[in-house]
Amino acid sequence: MTKTFKPRLSTLLTFASAALLVCAPLAAQAQDYPSKPVRIIAPFPAGSGPDANAREIAAELTKILGQTFVVENRPGASNIIGTEAAARAAPDGYSLYIGTTSSLSVVPHLFSKLPFNAEKDFAPISLLGILNTGLIANPGVQAKDAKALIAELKAKPESVSVATSGIGSYSHLSGVWFNDAAKVKTNLVPYNSTSPYNDLLAGQVQLMFDGLPAAAGPIRGGKLKLLAITGKERHPSFPAVPTFAEAGLPDYAPIAWQGMLAPAGTPQPILDKLSNAMKQACQSQELAKKWRDYGGELRCNTPAEFTAFINADRAMWGKVIRQANVKLD
């Protein structure tokens, strides 16, 4: 006859007390957090568009949590230098990381060996925002929108040059994806050490796929024009510009994003506190307007939602990169 084990009340109380002893320090740690300045590791250069976004959210978190949040730029090697530094940082809440499409969705597919694991080395906190990708053109381009451009390219393949920020860059892969989705051929021109925008403005190259922070001013000033933009609906800041879906490319959907993460192993109560702070920061109308003005959207979410978002985005870019057979090692 099998006897059913019934733990004594004293045993249950002992387990409960032990659990409380473990949880109590974590709760107290989160209550006191942050008690000193927090660094946010950014894998991109100071003065860049992503850097401006990082500094804006750092300022909001400083106001909300009452302690200084400082951006530490660690650019280089396709975002690998900064991402590795963040992955190896102490998981105590005082080293955070601004992840991007490039660092966590694209780079893991471009290199066979990396000094970090994009899936396992980070604890997602919240998305910060997304930047829609635009098909940016020199005013000399005759096509008025992406639909007309596609028609021209089918009649005259490789008749236009598309600037990219180098092989494997976001702009390059967006161009590769466009060619595949539209069944056209363009001449993709890599710019590895200089910005392509000067040549785009001068008409030496005709097109570029990119997020809009750098181009929004010239577009509004008539020095560049926008033929199409990603998104399910037209963007409120560019209501006259059709979406790629309107051009017959409903599945063409590259977006650039930024989000806040911490090293894996950071205590959950601290992650929860940071997640709540990010949610408050995203209620800033001033911050929302800045993202909206250059074709983006301020969009915070929960750690679980952000994790699912990254996984889906990484899988999407993995498919694009495999089809293009792009490798950087």
Side-chain angles (χ1 to χ4, degrees):
M1 182 177 177
T2 303
K3 292 184 178 180
T4 301
F5 174 72
K6 294 183 179 180
R8 294 180 179 179
L9 178 60
S10 59
T11 303
L12 292 174
L13 290 173
T14 299
F15 287 152
S17 298
L20 288 172
L21 287 173
V22 171
C23 294
L26 291 177
Q29 185 180 18
Q31 187 175 1
D32 295 338
Y33 175 86
S35 59
K36 60 182 181 180
V38 179
R39 67 169 179 162
I40 302 174
I41 298 173
F44 33 75
S48 63
D51 177 63
N53 297 334
R55 292 180 187 278
E56 287 166 358
I57 196 64
E60 291 294 328
L61 292 175
T62 296
K63 290 189 290 185
I64 292 166
L65 293 174
Q67 187 58 260
T68 304
F69 283 70
V70 180
V71 174
E72 179 181 303
N73 300 95
R74 301 287 292 273
S78 299
N79 292 162
I80 294 173
I81 291 174
T83 305
E84 179 186 7
R88 294 185 177 184
D92 56 6
Y94 290 96
S95 292
L96 304 179
Y97 171 65
I98 289 283
T100 67
T101 312
S102 177
S103 61
L104 295 181
S105 293
V106 171
V107 164
H109 297 292
L110 294 175
F111 296 88
S112 55
K113 291 184 179 180
L114 287 171
F116 61 87
N117 186 309
E119 295 183 53
K120 297 179 180 180
D121 289 346
F122 297 98
I125 296 169
S126 174
L127 183 67
L128 171 57
I130 64 167
L131 295 171
N132 289 300
T133 297
L135 175 50
I136 306 161
N138 179 275
V141 172
Q142 296 300 308
K144 64 176 183 178
D145 54 31
K147 188 174 183 178
L149 177 71
I150 291 170
E152 289 182 13
L153 285 168
K154 287 186 174 180
K156 296 180 179 180
E158 296 187 279
S159 57
V160 297
S161 295
V162 179
T164 78
S165 298
I167 303 299
S169 66
Y170 178 84
S171 56
H172 170 248
L173 294 172
S174 295
V176 168
W177 188 356
F178 174 82
N179 285 351
D180 182 67
K183 302 296 186 290
V184 298
K185 289 184 178 181
T186 60
N187 180 26
L188 298 172
V189 182
Y191 285 71
N192 293 317
S193 58
T194 58
S195 170
Y197 274 99
N198 288 336
D199 282 0
L200 183 61
L201 287 163
Q204 293 178 319
V205 285
Q206 289 77 51
L207 302 168
M208 184 172 182
F209 294 89
D210 202 7
L212 299 180
I219 289 170
R220 292 193 176 96
K223 295 180 179 179
L224 294 173
K225 63 181 184 179
L226 190 58
L227 303 185
I229 191 170
T230 54
K232 295 180 179 179
E233 299 176 350
R234 294 192 180 195
H235 196 276
S237 291
F238 301 95
V241 178
T243 65
F244 283 99
E246 291 178 74
L249 305 178
D251 297 325
Y252 180 74
I255 56 168
W257 56 265
Q258 287 180 249
M260 190 75 72
L261 303 95
T266 300
Q268 191 61 46
I270 289 178
L271 295 175
D272 292 340
K273 192 167 188 177
L274 287 165
S275 176
N276 289 332
M278 287 290 291
K279 184 177 180 180
Q280 291 182 56
C282 276
Q283 294 173 1
S284 166
Q285 294 302 310
E286 180 181 357
L287 203 56
K289 184 179 183 302
K290 288 180 179 179
W291 279 78
R292 191 166 54 248
D293 283 349
Y294 46 65
E297 179 188 350
L298 187 68
R299 187 197 295 180
C300 291
N301 56 11
T302 67
E305 290 169 339
F306 189 27
T307 300
F309 175 91
I310 296 173
N311 290 340
D313 192 65
R314 186 184 295 124
M316 180 183 72
W317 283 108
K319 182 179 179 181
V320 172
I321 291 166
R322 286 192 300 273
Q323 288 178 340
N325 194 28
V326 179
K327 277 290 184 181
L328 296 185
D329 59 2

